[in-house]
Amino acid sequence: MDTLELRADCGRCAGLCCVAPAFAKSADFALDKPAGRPCPNLAGDFRCGIHERLPEKGFRGCVVFDCFGAGQQVTQVTFGGRDWRGTPGIAGQMFAVLPVMRQLHELAWYVSQALELPAARRLRPRLQAALDETTALAGGTPDELLALDLAGYRNSVNPLLRKASDLARAGAGSRRVDHGGANLIGRRMRGADLRGASLRGAVLIGADLRGADLRTADFTGADLRGADLRGADLTGALFLTESQVKAAVTDETTWR
């Protein structure tokens, strides 16, 4: 079974994240852009013309975006190296496939992370089977990808990921906090003991987590935009992505 590349390689993509999605002028984006229209900062070589200055130019949303390698998969595999400029007729389908592929790659990343958890070793055969199936789905044709019941498939894998998380967090003791799906915007949790906490899907925008103990906490899908993690201990944090860390406020005192 081939393995998926789960890290973005912009040099092998056709600038899909700069064209396919829409975004609105906000704190994350400096302007409005409809879906399917190239960002004005996209250069002729499919590279971002202001990549090194995105935050100061008002494009923080681009800094924290992660396609998990879906961009190059769509460009190089699904469409065989063709791009939407050279072959305009594929543009609509190519842009529609990107979010599907991104979700598959994100799911594959989570499963890959779960496979590395020593406490979840008894789940490894099922996790490997889920990774193999996700990889196979990602290799489908554009029509197959667009016909995929993505929500149904994710729902079939998520219980396995939750079980892996439960096993990994069991060592944190009986006082594990469940903040799954909670609205914690701006919450003051400085120095809080959140060892083994579930923060799955929690909204932590602007939360004060300075010095918090977040060892083995589950961050699946948590919104960390502007969350202050200075001095926080993230050792062994589960399912914490690079884009989540980039979205937060960190410094050299943040432990990972």
Side-chain angles (χ1 to χ4, degrees):
M1 179 68 67
D2 292 335
T3 57
L4 293 175
E5 297 178 10
L6 300 177
R7 292 182 65 90
D9 182 353
C10 297
R12 299 177 60 224
C13 182
L16 297 181
C17 68
C18 304
V19 187
F23 49 74
K25 187 173 182 179
S26 62
D28 291 324
F29 297 102
L31 47 79
D32 294 320
K33 188 193 81 65
R37 178 181 297 175
C39 173
N41 298 306
L42 182 65
D45 61 355
F46 298 119
R47 297 284 188 148
C48 175
I50 59 168
H51 185 265
E52 303 303 323
R53 297 171 290 145
L54 283 168
E56 54 263 43
K57 290 292 186 178
F59 289 87
R60 183 166 176 76
C62 298
V63 176
V64 302
F65 177 79
D66 188 353
C67 77
F68 294 94
Q72 67 256 30
Q73 176 77 7
V74 171
T75 303
Q76 301 299 332
V77 179
T78 313
F79 288 90
R82 294 175 293 167
D83 65 73
W84 50 274
R85 279 180 176 155
T87 314
I90 67 172
Q93 195 174 46
M94 198 175 201
F95 299 156
V97 164
L98 179 64
V100 177
M101 188 67 75
R102 184 191 177 279
Q103 289 199 53
L104 287 174
H105 274 238
E106 181 183 37
L107 187 61
W109 185 86
Y110 284 131
V111 175
S112 296
Q113 293 292 301
L115 275 165
E116 296 178 5
L117 298 174
R121 62 175 60 89
R122 66 183 178 86
L123 299 178
R124 284 176 183 168
R126 294 168 61 193
L127 286 165
Q128 187 61 56
L131 181 58
D132 291 345
E133 184 177 10
T134 305
T135 300
L137 289 172
T141 66
D143 287 338
E144 289 170 340
L145 288 160
L146 293 175
L148 179 64
D149 178 5
L150 194 56
Y153 182 63
R154 288 185 69 105
N155 287 338
S156 72
V157 178
N158 276 335
L160 188 58
L161 293 174
R162 287 180 179 273
K163 182 61 176 176
S165 173
D166 289 342
L167 291 170
R169 293 183 296 115
S174 59
R175 296 181 63 244
R176 291 177 295 162
V177 177
D178 187 356
H179 284 314
N183 181 350
L184 301 172
I185 296 175
R187 183 69 64 88
R188 296 177 180 176
M189 293 183 285
R190 184 171 185 174
D193 182 357
L194 294 169
R195 286 172 294 172
S198 174
L199 298 169
R200 294 176 64 94
V203 183
L204 290 151
I205 298 172
D208 185 355
L209 289 162
R210 286 175 292 173
D213 189 344
L214 292 160
R215 288 174 290 172
T216 69
D218 185 342
F219 284 91
T220 304
D223 190 339
L224 295 177
R225 286 177 293 170
D228 195 337
L229 293 173
R230 288 175 294 177
D233 190 345
L234 295 163
T235 304
L238 305 176
F239 308 121
L240 179 65
T241 68
E242 289 185 16
S243 60
Q244 284 174 308
V245 175
K246 287 180 181 178
V249 178
T250 61
D251 63 11
E252 67 279 358
T253 66
T254 304
W255 292 89
R256 290 194 65 188

